[in-house]
């Protein structure tokens, strides 16, 4: 019998389940479930664009209107300095990382609760749920990036070689959003009213972060502004997309890296600590 | 003999219920914490924390190719056990050792999305249940054929009939190829033909491919058919493991009837205008009735308190000793006032004479309900009365017992009478 058996089951992974055991091969498990991660992202993207009549154009309308309003308020009314860049482009270049961050944070925060059906009925490393939410935000991001390119052509301000560093800043944006999203998604499972914190954070954040204005012209406020991890990131995006016309200031970027690392490390720690109870309390 | 594929030792799962503690939001939580601290300062105690052991020191092992049934009443810990085995929740103490890929099916169609098409849902659900992309592609046609939904494969599943939906969902699950399959009560849905097909598929898979299956069901006939071994759980403890017939026999005898009063088994839905105050069968108020001869009709008498105008009648299900329904005794649509009575608030005595089909010797359960047939169920006695048939002249018939053949027929009762005995 045993010879036959080995034929049928060439490899038989052994699993031991015990209290507090889940940690052992955590990252290998996440890797093993990468296909499910892909499927969940694909599902969310599909559903997002399936029912909406406006489809992808929805992702364009929002940044277009925001850009127009911010240009009017900050550029015309407040007469903020533009440093020689067409003001709409300045705003859009800041709005792109902001939208990526907002979409990713919002998606990741609600992701575990939104998938409670799965969480209470099937096993998988829970981390892939907030991870898959990042993918959806990335799709919207690509669309808005397209909008930026069209606008840049229109204003005759086409990005040059500086864009090469863009992937680094995109990655950094996703990491900040993930760090916050991990905290908020596990807190939301435990205390439902954390759901209401996210819209508030985003509402305030769009003004606190330098989306509608540039910071390199206010050296006095540099340190305060740099306490927001998005300041360094948004500056970085402007550097990449606006031909380096915004100088890259290493202080905010350093702060960004540090804050991101802290947020992400504690986020992963807290998420892993609570995820084993998700099925019991969700 | 190879090592067992599932080894469970000393498994326990504790849930803590903290009274006065339904805080789902931050404000409640802070408020609660403050009150707790105050109490501790003032009285030296916090709130009562009640521990609830859903599973207590359960140990067993399962060999490769075994199909093991898990039976027990609601709340006995079956689902908790399956949740631990499928890694959804962690045990509090104890250990499980699994050798092989585990797929668990705690629900049909987990992760199905109504807006996605059948084709898309097959991929998604397959991935959720642990299939690889290549595996899904390879089995796709087979799954579609099994589900019999070829024509609608590119239609969003929200437009499917519930039957099609369940068939598709189960078809995906039936094509899983794990070494260990954990199945909860999923066969309770779907039409009988399809249930049969699924049972057939599961049986075929476990026999020909040596797959190990753990199977929870209230459908005792299915457990009997499919499983050679069974585990019986009673309030979190493993009270018996062994042959399925023995386990089922113990399950039944441990069971519903206690020798108490039948009336205590009443289940009244909230807000029901009808409540039974007295119930006798052949003049006996106990929940264990001996019937010397099954040819004699049963006399069922209930006294009923009615608080709103309703149309009232009595349904009786005859069930086998596992609770599978065998025959329904109901006046049906008969609405001419001979057996279904329009009553105003008051106390009534409702009496029925039920002639049972000729029964084999053995134990049966009666499932009673005060109803308006096909419209409303006012109060029920689910499998509340055990009927022991001592002799019936039919003793040759053990062959039908446990054959798992669904038997169903309807017995039209003699007239059901209603008599007003008092005002409220």
């Amino acid at each position: 019998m045993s010879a036959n058996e080995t034929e049928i089951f060439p490899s038989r992974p052994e699993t031991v389940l015990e209290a507090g055991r889940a940690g052992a091969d955590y990252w290998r498990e996440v890797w093993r479930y990468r296909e499910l991660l892909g499927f969940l992202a694909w599902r969310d993207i599909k559903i997002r664009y399936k029912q909406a009549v406006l489809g992808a154009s929805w992702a364009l309308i929002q940044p277009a209107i925001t850009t127009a309003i911010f240009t009017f308020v900050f550029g015309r009314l407040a007469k903020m300095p533009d440093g020689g860049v067409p003001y709409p482009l300045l705003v859009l270049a800041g709005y792109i990382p902001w939208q990526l961050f907002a979409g990713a944070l919002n998606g990741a925060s609600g992701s575990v609760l939104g998938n409670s059906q799965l969480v209470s009925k099937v096993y998988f490393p829970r981390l892939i749920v907030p991870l898959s939410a990042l993918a959806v935000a990335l799709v919207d991001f690509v669309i808005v990036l397209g909008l930026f390119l069209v606008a840049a052509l229109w204003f005759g301000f086409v990005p040059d070689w500086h864009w090469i560093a863009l992937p680094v800043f995109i990655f950094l944006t996703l990491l900040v959003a993930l760090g916050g999203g991990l905290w908020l998604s596990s807190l939301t499972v435990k205390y439902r009213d954390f759901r209401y914190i996210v819209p508030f954070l985003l509402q305030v954040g769009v003004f606190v972060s330098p989306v509608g204005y540039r910071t390199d012209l206010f050296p006095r406020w540099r340190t305060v502004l740099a306490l927001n991890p998005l300041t360094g990131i948004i500056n970085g995006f402007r550097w990449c997309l606006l031909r380096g016309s915004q100088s890259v200031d290493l202080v905010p970027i350093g702060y960004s890296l540090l804050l991101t690392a802290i947020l992400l490390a504690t986020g992963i720690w807290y998420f892993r600590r609570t995820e084993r109870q998700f099925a019991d309390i969700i | 003999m190879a090592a067992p594929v599932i080894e469970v030792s000393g498994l326990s799962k504790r849930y803590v219920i903290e009274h006065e503690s339904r805080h789902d939001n931050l404000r409640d939580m802070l408020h609660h914490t403050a009150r707790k601290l105050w109490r501790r300062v003032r009285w030296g105690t916090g709130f009562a924390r009640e521990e609830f052991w859903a599973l207590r020191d359960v140990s067993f092992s399962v060999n490769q190719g075994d199909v093991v049934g898990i039976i027990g009443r609601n709340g006995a810990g079956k689902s908790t056990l399956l949740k631990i085995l499928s890694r959804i929740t962690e045990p509090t103490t104890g250990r499980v050792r699994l050798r092989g890929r585990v797929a668990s099916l705690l629900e049909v169609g987990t992760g199905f999305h109504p807006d996605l098409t059948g084709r898309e849902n097959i991929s998604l659900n397959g991935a959720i249940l642990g299939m690889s992309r290549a595996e899904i592609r390879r089995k796709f046609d087979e799954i579609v054929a099994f589900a019999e939904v070829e024509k609608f494969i590119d239609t969003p599943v929200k437009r499917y009939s519930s039957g099609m939906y369940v068939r598709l969902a189960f078809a995906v699950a039936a094509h899983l190829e794990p070494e260990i399959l954990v199945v909860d009560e999923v066969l309770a849905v779907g039409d009988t033909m399809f249930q049969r097909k699924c049972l057939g598929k599961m049986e075929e898979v476990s026999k020909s491919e040596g797959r190990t299956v753990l199977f929870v069901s209230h459908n005792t006939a299915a457990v009997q058919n499919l499983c050679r071994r069974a585990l019986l759980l009673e309030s979190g403890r493993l009270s018996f493991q062994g042959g399925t017939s023995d386990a089922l026999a113990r399950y039944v005898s441990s069971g519903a009837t206690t020798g108490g009063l039948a009336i205590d088994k009443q289940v009244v839905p909230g807000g029901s205008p009808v409540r039974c105050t007295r119930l006798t069968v052949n003049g006996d108020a106990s929940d264990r009735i001996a019937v010397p001869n099954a040819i004699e009709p049963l006399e069922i008498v209930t006294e009923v308190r009615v608080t709103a105008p309703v149309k009232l009648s009595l349904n009786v299900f005859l069930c086998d000793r596992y609770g599978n329904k065998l025959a329904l005794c109901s006046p049906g649509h008969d609405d001419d006032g001979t057996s279904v009575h329009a009553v105003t608030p008051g106390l009534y005595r409702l009496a029925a004479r039920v002639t049972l089909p000729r029964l084999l010797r053995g134990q049966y359960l009666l499932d009673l309900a005060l109803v308006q047939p096909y419209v409303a169920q006012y109060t029920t006695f689910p499998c509340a009365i055990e009927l022991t048939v001592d002799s019936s002249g039919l003793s040759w018939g053990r062959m039908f017992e446990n054959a798992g053949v669904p038997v169903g027929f309807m017995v039209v009762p003699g007239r059901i009478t209603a008599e007003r005995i008092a005002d409220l």
Side-chain angles (χ1 to χ4, degrees):
Chain A
M1 182 173 174
S2 61
N4 190 13
E5 231 172 77
T6 39
E7 257 173 49
I8 302 174
F9 306 124
S11 67
R12 260 210 221 164
E14 187 176 301
T15 320
V16 176
L17 312 178
E18 264 176 320
R21 177 114 182 165
D25 314 307
Y26 193 77
W27 297 104
R28 198 177 315 154
E29 280 285 286
V30 173
W31 177 246
R32 275 215 314 139
Y33 277 84
R34 63 190 183 280
E35 280 198 356
L36 181 57
L37 171 71
F39 270 111
L40 291 181
W42 165 82
R43 174 196 68 181
D44 291 344
I45 293 165
K46 194 120 194 169
I47 288 161
R48 189 178 164 88
Y49 290 108
K50 206 164 202 164
Q51 285 248 307
V53 187
L54 300 173
S57 56
W58 191 236
L60 292 176
I61 293 170
Q62 230 180 318
I65 292 177
T66 311
T67 302
I69 293 173
F70 278 23
T71 303
F72 180 69
V73 172
F74 290 105
R76 288 282 156 81
L77 294 185
K79 303 235 186 312
M80 300 286 258
D82 57 17
V85 180
Y87 214 90
L89 277 192
L90 185 81
V91 172
L92 200 51
Y95 188 77
I96 289 175
W98 171 258
Q99 175 166 317
L100 177 61
F101 169 78
L105 182 74
N106 197 17
S109 301
S111 61
V112 175
L113 200 60
N115 283 291
S116 57
Q117 266 270 303
L118 289 187
V119 170
S120 58
K121 295 290 180 191
V122 195
Y123 165 77
F124 52 84
R126 306 314 187 194
L127 194 65
I128 71 168
V129 173
L131 280 176
S132 75
L134 301 186
V136 183
L138 261 179
V139 172
D140 281 355
F141 168 78
V142 169
I143 295 172
V144 187
L145 198 61
L147 176 71
F148 177 84
L149 288 178
V150 173
L153 279 174
W154 175 267
F155 287 104
F157 205 85
V158 182
D160 58 8
W161 58 269
H162 284 94
W163 71 265
I164 212 103
L166 199 59
V168 177
F169 291 107
I170 296 174
F171 189 63
L172 207 54
T173 315
L174 290 177
L175 290 186
V176 186
L178 182 63
L182 287 176
W183 270 106
L184 290 169
S185 61
S186 22
L187 285 168
T188 309
V189 173
K190 260 191 144 159
Y191 311 110
R192 295 293 149 89
D193 52 357
F194 270 88
R195 269 182 298 193
Y196 309 123
I197 288 184
V198 181
F200 174 72
L201 269 183
L202 296 181
Q203 209 173 14
V204 174
V206 74
F207 294 105
V208 171
S209 307
V211 173
Y213 49 91
R214 49 191 298 173
T215 59
D216 52 347
L217 304 167
F218 311 102
R220 213 150 61 93
W221 297 101
R222 198 170 74 164
T223 326
V224 178
L225 286 168
L227 287 176
N228 174 359
L230 286 174
T231 304
I233 291 175
I234 291 175
N235 287 348
F237 264 81
R238 289 223 168 95
W239 182 79
C240 291
L241 293 173
L242 302 175
R243 301 200 276 203
S245 82
Q246 161 142 16
S247 58
V248 159
D249 192 349
L250 286 180
V251 174
I253 292 187
Y255 271 108
S256 272
L257 286 173
L258 183 70
L259 291 170
T260 306
I262 293 172
L263 197 59
L264 194 61
T266 55
I268 290 174
W269 166 79
Y270 187 70
F271 189 86
R272 286 189 54 180
R273 216 183 66 136
T274 44
E275 73 171 330
R276 58 185 68 145
Q277 307 166 26
F278 280 174
D280 296 336
I281 55 179
I282 206 160
Chain B
M1 194 70 206
V5 288
I6 304 175
E7 271 178 273
V8 174
S9 51
L11 199 67
S12 300
K13 173 78 184 179
R14 179 187 55 200
Y15 289 99
V16 178
I17 308 156
E18 196 168 331
H19 291 290
E20 286 263 330
S21 77
R22 288 192 48 80
H23 45 270
D24 274 352
N25 60 52
L26 197 62
R27 199 197 67 196
D28 284 2
M29 199 267 290
L30 294 174
H31 177 80
H32 173 74
T33 310
R35 274 182 64 192
K36 196 153 85 176
L37 283 172
W38 172 243
R39 279 186 155 216
R40 209 158 268 160
V41 173
R42 184 92 192 269
W43 315 103
T45 56
F47 288 112
R49 274 159 60 95
E50 193 184 322
E51 292 189 346
F52 165 68
W53 289 88
L55 279 181
R56 201 76 206 249
D57 201 21
V58 171
S59 304
F60 62 91
S61 62
V62 177
N63 290 317
Q64 193 231 321
D66 276 0
V67 182
V68 178
I70 300 173
I71 51 180
R73 309 209 170 274
N74 287 334
K78 303 184 300 281
S79 299
T80 306
L81 178 60
L82 291 198
K83 278 195 169 175
I84 292 174
L85 290 176
S86 34
R87 307 180 65 186
I88 293 163
T89 183
E90 276 193 337
T92 308
T93 61
R95 163 201 289 256
V96 179
R97 193 182 286 274
L98 300 165
R99 295 192 180 83
R101 250 187 1 140
V102 183
S104 58
L105 201 55
L106 302 196
E107 178 190 63
V108 175
T110 306
F112 260 46
H113 198 286
D115 286 329
L116 297 178
T117 67
R119 183 187 301 279
E120 291 162 343
N121 269 309
I122 290 177
S123 306
L124 179 65
N125 189 234
I128 286 169
L129 294 175
M131 284 193 212
S132 70
R133 198 182 291 255
E135 208 177 336
I136 296 166
R137 201 169 306 137
R138 186 153 44 81
K139 290 187 187 144
F140 185 83
D141 293 333
E142 213 181 317
I143 291 173
V144 176
F146 189 88
E148 303 162 19
V149 294
E150 289 92 338
K151 268 167 48 191
F152 305 98
I153 196 63
D154 288 311
T155 310
V157 297
K158 65 181 171 191
R159 299 200 219 292
Y160 278 29
S161 73
S162 58
M164 280 158 63
Y165 184 95
V166 169
R167 285 209 303 274
L168 183 66
F170 202 91
V172 181
H175 288 80
L176 283 173
E177 279 180 358
E179 284 103 53
I180 303 167
L181 181 62
V182 174
V183 190
D184 200 356
E185 206 66 81
V186 285
L187 291 175
V189 290
D191 57 84
T192 325
M193 282 292 288
F194 192 72
Q195 277 181 21
R196 202 147 292 272
K197 193 166 159 183
C198 294
L199 287 175
K201 175 88 188 171
M202 277 172 66
E203 205 171 3
E204 173 197 313
V205 155
S206 67
K207 277 194 182 134
S208 63
E209 293 168 37
R211 183 160 316 159
T212 312
V213 182
L214 283 186
F215 180 55
V216 164
S217 180
H218 283 112
N219 180 346
T220 46
V223 173
Q224 179 88 34
N225 271 349
L226 213 58
C227 312
R228 265 184 304 140
R229 269 185 65 206
L231 309 172
L232 174 61
L233 287 174
E234 280 177 297
S235 20
R237 289 173 192 275
L238 183 63
S239 65
F240 180 80
Q241 52 175 320
T244 308
S245 305
D246 294 342
L248 286 174
R250 274 188 71 119
Y251 171 48
V252 169
S253 67
S254 73
T257 61
T258 51
L261 290 177
I263 191 76
D264 295 336
K265 299 290 180 49
Q266 182 170 218
V267 179
V268 191
S272 172
V274 178
R275 177 183 288 272
C276 204
T277 52
R278 195 176 139 78
L279 168 63
T280 62
V281 178
N282 289 355
D284 189 340
S286 128
D287 66 0
R288 286 186 177 163
I289 310 284
V291 185
N293 189 336
I295 301 165
E296 295 284 312
L298 291 180
E299 299 273 1
I300 299 173
V301 179
T302 62
E303 281 176 22
V304 189
R305 194 185 148 85
V306 180
T307 51
V310 290
K311 287 186 172 173
L312 201 58
S313 187
L314 184 70
N315 267 1
V316 183
F317 273 109
L318 176 71
C319 307
D320 71 11
R321 59 193 178 129
Y322 307 124
N324 297 318
K325 292 180 165 111
L326 299 174
L328 166 64
C329 173
S330 162
H333 275 303
D334 167 22
D335 208 355
D336 58 4
T338 58
S339 286
V340 182
H341 304 277
V343 296
T344 48
L347 285 181
Y348 291 86
R349 181 179 293 126
L350 218 71
R353 266 172 81 90
V354 176
T355 307
L356 294 173
R358 284 187 87 185
L359 295 172
L360 303 177
R361 198 159 37 172
Q363 263 98 41
Y364 299 85
L365 293 170
L366 288 183
D367 187 311
L368 268 62
L370 285 162
V371 297
Q372 179 181 355
Y374 301 104
V375 178
Q377 229 176 28
Y378 298 120
T379 174
T380 60
F381 294 85
C383 290
I385 299 173
E386 186 184 89
L387 207 63
T388 305
V389 176
D390 293 334
S391 99
S392 64
L394 296 175
S395 55
W396 46 270
R398 271 194 72 86
M399 56 186 291
F400 282 122
E401 200 186 353
N402 302 334
V405 185
V407 189
F409 41 91
M410 192 154 147
V411 184
V412 179
R415 187 176 165 181
I416 296 175
T417 59
E419 166 196 357
R420 192 180 175 95
I421 49 179
D423 292 331
L424 281 182

